[in-house]
Amino acid sequence: RQAVTELHRALTAMLSKLEPQLAGQEPPVAALARVLAVMRFHRRLPRTHPDAHRLVAVLLGDPRQLIADDHAAATVPLLVALLADVQALLEAAATTGGCEPGDAHARAIALWALLHGLGQLTKLARLAPRTLATADVERVAIETLLRGFGADARLVRRAELALDRHGSPGERV
């Protein structure tokens, strides 16, 4: 529970710090930039919050039961709250025209699954870096997901540039 809480607080703090940088952006660009910032934030977790990230990644990524049901059940509301924040960002992206309207809950889960899958790819890439060029795969996967949500490629690019121009949290996705 402590690890999930730590990651949620860090995400909230990152998004708060980002707001002044997005103040002058058009609403759809700013909304997509927030979603991209979440993706970048997640990508950085192994370096910025290694213990919390490792614990959550193992507990959620391993299909075996690693902790007792009562402990797992106590963690679920914390995960739901974190995903609700991401869902709200996706709803805002749809409301502002950053992407098409759709099921923001399903989109938040799809985004989460993509990010965790990319994390696994990154781990594998250290063993076969030429075969698994993660930066290229990440860029294609994220763009494809956002395009699948109905985001215009030009808006996504402008959101990326807004984050890059202002030194956003995380490296480029």
Side-chain angles (χ1 to χ4, degrees), residues 15 31 34-35 38 80-96 104-105 107-108:
L15 288 168
R34 289 180 195 97
V35 173
V38 168
V80 168
L82 192 152
L83 284 172
D85 286 355
V86 175
Q87 180 177 329
L89 295 175
L90 291 163
E91 287 170 349
T95 301
T96 62
H105 176 74
R107 288 177 174 183

Side-chain angles (χ1 to χ4, degrees), residues 56-98:
V56 172
V58 168
L59 290 177
L60 297 178
D62 191 320
R64 298 172 295 161
Q65 180 178 347
L66 300 175
I67 60 175
D69 286 346
D70 58 332
H71 290 296
T75 305
V76 169
L78 302 171
L79 287 169
V80 168
L82 192 152
L83 284 172
D85 286 355
V86 175
Q87 180 177 329
L89 295 175
L90 291 163
E91 287 170 349
T95 301
T96 62

Side-chain angles (χ1 to χ4, degrees), residues 10-159:
L11 175 65
T12 302
M14 180 277 297
L15 288 168
S16 292
K17 287 171 64 174
L18 183 62
E19 281 311 303
Q21 298 173 356
L22 297 178
Q25 296 296 323
E26 295 175 43
V29 172
L32 286 172
R34 289 180 195 97
V35 173
L36 287 168
V38 168
M39 293 177 175
R40 292 179 180 196
F41 170 82
H42 187 273
R43 181 78 177 87
R44 289 181 52 223
L45 288 176
R47 290 184 305 281
T48 60
H49 296 82
D51 294 335
H53 175 265
R54 185 172 30 256
L55 181 60
V56 172
V58 168
L59 290 177
L60 297 178
D62 191 320
R64 298 172 295 161
Q65 180 178 347
L66 300 175
I67 60 175
D69 286 346
D70 58 332
H71 290 296
T75 305
V76 169
L78 302 171
L79 287 169
V80 168
L82 192 152
L83 284 172
D85 286 355
V86 175
Q87 180 177 329
L89 295 175
L90 291 163
E91 287 170 349
T95 301
T96 62
C99 63
E100 298 287 325
D103 183 342
H105 176 74
R107 288 177 174 183
I109 300 297
L111 174 62
W112 180 59
L114 172 67
L115 293 172
H116 282 272
L118 288 171
Q120 294 302 313
L121 182 61
T122 300
K123 184 175 182 179
L124 292 173
R126 69 183 176 83
L127 303 173
R130 301 186 103 194
T131 304
L132 301 168
T134 57
D136 293 337
V137 173
E138 287 174 4
R139 193 169 28 263
V140 168
I142 290 167
E143 181 180 326
T144 301
L145 182 73
L146 292 176
R147 295 290 309 268
F149 294 167
D152 182 275
R154 291 169 297 202
L155 287 177
V156 173
R157 180 70 185 129
R158 287 174 52 204

